[in-house]
Amino acid sequence: MEVRVQNIRKEFGRYPALEDVSLDIRSGELIALLGPSGSGKTTLLRLIAGLESPTEGTIFFGNEDASNKSVQQRNIGFVFQHYALFRHMTVLDNVSFGLKVRPGNRRPPAAEIRRRALDLLELVQLSGLEKRYPAQLSGGQRQRVALARAMAVEPNVLLLDEPFGALDAQVRKELRKWLREIHDRTGHTTVFVTHDQEEALELADRVVVMSKGAIEQVGTPDDIYDHPVSPFVYGFIGQSNCLEVTLSRGEIWFEDRPIGLRAASEPDGPATLYFRPHDIELIDGCGGCLAGLVTAGRRVAGTRHLEVSLGRTLPPVEIELPPERASSTDHSRVAFRPTRWKLYRGASDVAAASVQAQTSAIELAPTGT
C-alpha cells in the first residue's frame, strides 16, 4: 500500500505540531521518521494511523482519501513502545485478538485464526511459547508478540512507535537486524518512529529527518549522512564539529589565518564550517591548518576520540584517530585539517544555523594538499 501525506497541518490548541508536511511513502518501503523530542514524528505517525485527524491536508492510502477513515477502516497494524499486550491473555490469544474481534462477515474461521497465529509465532521465532503469558516473557519476546499481533490482521500499513525504546542496547541491536529480515520476507509498507539515529540509518530504506513540525530532509541513509542539506541535519546525524569561519578570496580563514581549504567562486564573508571527527588528517607543523591542545581523550570501540581546544574562548572540537596514532598526542599540541566538509552561509551562530531551513549550502571537495 502506498501512502501519501499531502500538505498536512496539525494543531493542538494553538500549538502547531506539524506545518505543511508532505511525504510519499512507497509500497513495501521501510521508512524511518527520525528527530528529537517535539519534532512532530509521533504526531505524523498517529495521523497516518487515524488516531489523530489533521487540522488541514489530506492522507491518501493508494488513490483513496483516508483522512476521515478510522484505524479499523484503514487496516493499520500498530506496535507501541511498551508492547500494550493483554496481560490476562496467552501469547496465542494476544496474536489472535485482532482477527477474533472482526465483524462476523470479515472474521476467519477459528481454525484459520489459530493457524495464522501459529505461523506468525514461528516467523517471529516464538514457536512453543504460545501458552505463556506476557509476564513470563522477556522484553524482547514481548515486542515480538506485539509485532506478530500487528501483522496478524494483514495490515495495509505497519506502524511502529519507538518499538525498541524500552529495551536494553544489546537486545535493541539484535531486534533491529531481526525486524529488517522480517520486513524483507513479508513486504509490508512499514513506518517507524525513532529518535535513535543509528537505528534509523541501519534499518530504513529511507529516512525522514524532522525538526519543529517540519521535514528537513528525506533520503537514503547514505544521502542523509553524506549529503545533509541543512545545518540541523548535519548536526543531528552522526557526530560533527562546526566552526565560525570567514571566506576571503577563495580561501577559508579561521580567526586570523587560512586553514588550507579553498572555496573557489564563493563570495567573501562569514560562514559556518562543518566536518565530522573522522574526516580529518593530521598535519606536520601548521602551514595552513587547524591546531590546538588535546585536553581529553577516550576510547570508543576501535578508535580514540580526542577533544581539542582551539582557543580559550572557543568551544572544543573532537577528532577521531586510530588508537596507535592517538597515543602520542595526549595533552600535546595537534595540527589537522578536514578532508570532507561542508559550508553553510547566512548563519551567524550554530544555534541560529540549526533552525534556518532556508540557509543555502555549498558542498565542496577536499583540497589536494
Side-chain angles (χ1 to χ4, degrees):
M1 175 66 69
E2 183 183 33
V3 178
R4 285 188 295 124
V5 175
Q6 188 171 301
N7 304 115
I8 286 291
R9 178 179 177 84
K10 177 62 180 177
E11 295 180 354
F12 294 102
R14 294 186 177 182
Y15 172 74
L18 292 174
E19 296 194 69
D20 196 26
V21 169
S22 295
L23 176 66
D24 290 345
I25 301 170
R26 302 160 188 160
S27 180
E29 183 174 36
L30 178 59
I31 197 164
L33 305 181
L34 174 67
S37 297
S39 61
K41 56 189 185 296
T42 295
T43 299
L44 179 55
L45 192 78
R46 290 175 64 85
L47 285 164
I48 294 171
L51 296 171
E52 302 283 354
S53 298
T55 305
E56 296 176 9
T58 313
I59 297 174
F60 292 92
F61 276 36
N63 295 319
E64 188 174 0
D65 184 351
S67 304
N68 297 314
K69 289 190 172 185
S70 67
V71 179
Q72 292 76 19
Q73 289 171 323
R74 298 185 196 198
N75 193 28
I76 292 293
F78 209 113
V79 179
F80 298 90
Q81 178 178 343
H82 293 286
Y83 327 126
L85 299 177
F86 298 110
R87 291 178 294 175
H88 65 286
M89 291 185 183
T90 65
V91 166
L92 184 64
D93 288 338
N94 265 285
V95 176
S96 304
F97 180 79
L99 295 172
K100 288 181 177 180
V101 298
R102 280 183 169 175
N105 61 341
R106 296 180 55 232
R107 187 189 312 135
E112 172 63 17
I113 292 176
R114 178 179 174 81
R115 183 197 63 77
R116 190 182 300 183
L118 290 172
D119 286 348
L120 283 168
L121 287 174
E122 182 177 356
L123 180 67
V124 301
Q125 302 171 358
L126 291 177
S127 294
L129 302 183
E130 60 270 12
K131 293 182 180 180
R132 291 192 184 182
Y133 289 86
Q136 298 173 303
L137 303 176
S138 68
Q141 289 172 329
R142 292 179 200 174
Q143 198 58 287
R144 292 179 188 225
V145 174
L147 182 60
R149 182 179 61 184
M151 292 191 297
V153 297
E154 297 181 336
N156 291 327
V157 182
L158 184 61
L159 305 177
L160 302 94
D161 188 7
E162 304 225 26
F164 309 134
L167 305 173
D168 64 61
Q170 186 58 39
V171 175
R172 284 204 309 269
K173 188 171 183 179
E174 292 172 359
L175 286 187
R176 284 203 297 262
K177 179 180 178 182
W178 167 80
L179 178 60
R180 182 71 233 192
E181 293 172 352
I182 292 289
H183 175 267
D184 291 342
R185 291 174 63 179
T186 61
H188 288 297
T189 302
T190 303
V191 184
F192 74 99
V193 161
T194 183
H195 64 271
D196 184 331
Q197 55 181 276
E198 181 181 336
E199 189 169 281
L201 296 176
E202 182 178 334
L203 264 177
D205 296 315
R206 286 191 301 155
V207 178
V208 180
V209 182
M210 301 186 67
S211 173
K212 298 192 175 183
I215 292 175
E216 289 272 343
Q217 186 174 353
V218 181
T220 66
D222 286 344
D223 287 339
I224 295 293
Y225 189 87
D226 293 331
H227 307 289
V229 300
S230 71
F232 173 81
V233 177
Y234 206 123
F236 185 71
I237 302 296
Q239 293 180 295
S240 64
N241 298 297
C242 59
L243 296 172
E244 298 306 313
V245 297
T246 302
L247 305 185
S248 177
R249 291 178 291 181
E251 287 190 296
I252 299 177
W253 287 61
F254 175 65
E255 298 202 309
D256 59 351
R257 63 186 183 277
I259 58 175
L261 303 178
R262 295 193 58 80
S265 77
E266 287 303 318
D268 291 355
T272 305
L273 174 72
Y274 277 75
F275 63 96
R276 303 201 184 277
H278 55 82
D279 288 330
I280 63 101
E281 60 180 346
L282 294 181
I283 304 296
D284 292 329
C286 193
C289 63
L290 294 166
L293 182 67
V294 177
T295 57
R298 69 186 190 278
R299 180 70 178 258
V300 180
T303 63
R304 189 161 180 81
H305 289 222
L306 304 179
E307 193 173 279
V308 181
S309 173
L310 300 179
R312 290 183 179 179
T313 62
L314 298 171
V317 299
E318 189 169 283
I319 63 174
E320 180 180 323
L321 297 172
E324 62 274 12
R325 297 197 64 190
S327 59
S328 62
T329 59
D330 286 352
H331 307 293
S332 63
R333 196 162 181 81
V334 63
F336 64 94
R337 183 184 300 129
T339 56
R340 287 175 57 89
W341 42 278
K342 196 164 185 178
L343 280 176
Y344 293 95
R345 305 298 299 268
S348 60
D349 57 54
V350 177
S354 67
V355 299
Q356 289 187 352
Q358 301 304 318
T359 302
S360 61
I362 313 101
E363 185 144 18
L364 301 166
T367 57
T369 55

